[in-house]
Amino acid sequence: MNTLEKVNIAILLMTITYIIAINSLLSGTDQIGPGLRWFITFLTSVGLFRLLIILVYWLIRASDTLLAVYHQGRFLKGLWTYRYEVEGIPHMGIWRISQDLASISITGYGIDAKGRIDSHFRSVSPLFEHQGVDEIMFARTDTTTGDEHFAKTTLYVDRLGRPNWRSGPTFMRAQSVLYGHDEDGVRHADIILRRANRGQSEALIVEEMCGAARAGLPAPDASRPPAGRPALVS
């Protein structure tokens, strides 16, 4: 049973409790006949159930804390960064992950050492589970040439790496297989991503990553993975 089913069952139990309470209350009123009592109970309970669904879902979507509690080890909403080097040239970028109760989408861009965007990408499928791992499809466009290709990315989320119960994981690995253009079939392994500090702007994150790259140091919020070109980065 997944978390959404548990939430729905809790709402259903609250509605059943209301039905029992309102029916008991109306039974003590002689002025209301059985037919009218049943109609009032049915109408108000259906309305209450629908109202609770809307209210509870809205509260979870509106609060990152509740969303983190809801998803637990699968709460990925927020900014994520990566950085690595190939032949001494740094490659960095940002993932923007949006998430609600039942869906997730990812957009982002790669940057060079001067902080200029050299590629951008977006997810073109939902996050789906395949043989025990999470996978998602991306489309990536090179900003210089306009060339586009696709990638299937497998995510290995460190679900136990949570600072507290109100937050999600802060670290995940990924590997991708590219499709199309001149990189068809190329596999990029051991991509390392780290969640950016909450409240930190993208401009500051990019500035810190570029400063670390110029100084030859690891980025403040990302570790340096083994050499290799990750997917979705030019």
Side-chain angles (χ1 to χ4, degrees):
M1 182 183 300
N2 59 37
T3 307
L4 183 59
E5 291 173 338
K6 293 177 181 177
V7 170
N8 290 336
I9 288 175
I11 293 174
L12 180 60
L13 290 176
M14 286 189 286
T15 304
I16 292 174
T17 301
Y18 167 80
I19 292 174
I20 295 174
I22 191 66
N23 187 68
S24 177
L25 178 64
L26 295 177
S27 297
T29 305
D30 296 334
Q31 292 83 357
I32 301 178
L36 182 58
R37 183 170 66 246
W38 177 89
F39 179 76
I40 294 174
T41 301
F42 173 79
L43 191 64
T44 56
S45 61
V46 169
L48 177 65
F49 181 77
R50 179 58 179 167
L51 180 62
L52 287 174
I53 287 286
I54 295 173
L55 180 61
V56 171
Y57 283 17
W58 178 83
L59 286 174
I60 295 175
R61 285 194 299 265
S63 170
D64 283 353
T65 298
L66 292 179
L67 200 60
V69 173
Y70 176 84
H71 285 294
Q72 300 179 24
R74 297 173 64 90
F75 177 63
L76 304 178
K77 181 180 178 181
L79 295 177
W80 292 74
T81 65
Y82 62 85
R83 178 182 183 272
Y84 77 111
E85 290 184 2
V86 174
E87 298 179 352
I89 301 176
H91 294 265
M92 304 163 288
I94 291 179
W95 283 22
R96 299 169 173 170
I97 301 183
S98 300
Q99 188 175 24
D100 58 19
L101 276 75
S103 66
I104 188 171
S105 64
I106 304 174
T107 60
Y109 50 87
I111 57 175
D112 60 21
K114 295 182 179 180
R116 298 173 299 193
I117 295 178
D118 54 22
S119 64
H120 58 86
F121 48 87
R122 69 191 187 280
S123 59
V124 292
S125 79
L127 185 68
F128 56 93
E129 186 174 336
H130 177 65
Q131 295 182 346
V133 296
D134 295 318
E135 296 185 334
I136 192 167
M137 296 294 298
F138 284 97
R140 173 194 174 274
T141 302
D142 185 284
T143 56
T144 302
T145 65
D147 293 330
E148 181 176 89
H149 64 254
F150 297 88
K152 181 180 72 173
T153 299
T154 303
L155 299 177
Y156 300 92
V157 183
D158 181 10
R159 299 181 182 179
L160 298 180
R162 303 172 62 195
N164 53 63
W165 61 272
R166 297 175 300 171
S167 67
T170 59
F171 175 89
M172 60 180 168
R173 292 180 181 272
Q175 61 178 7
S176 294
V177 179
L178 307 186
Y179 304 97
H181 193 44
D182 58 350
E183 294 185 297
D184 190 58
V186 174
R187 178 181 296 274
H188 297 318
D190 207 19
I191 306 165
I192 297 178
L193 299 106
R194 293 186 182 276
R195 187 191 296 272
N197 294 329
R198 181 172 295 184
Q200 191 175 20
S201 69
E202 288 188 33
L204 181 58
I205 293 172
V206 170
E207 182 180 346
E208 290 181 348
M209 285 195 298
C210 292
R214 288 191 293 268
L217 301 172
D221 58 343
S223 64
R224 186 193 303 252
R229 181 182 179 190
L232 315 177
V233 183
S234 62

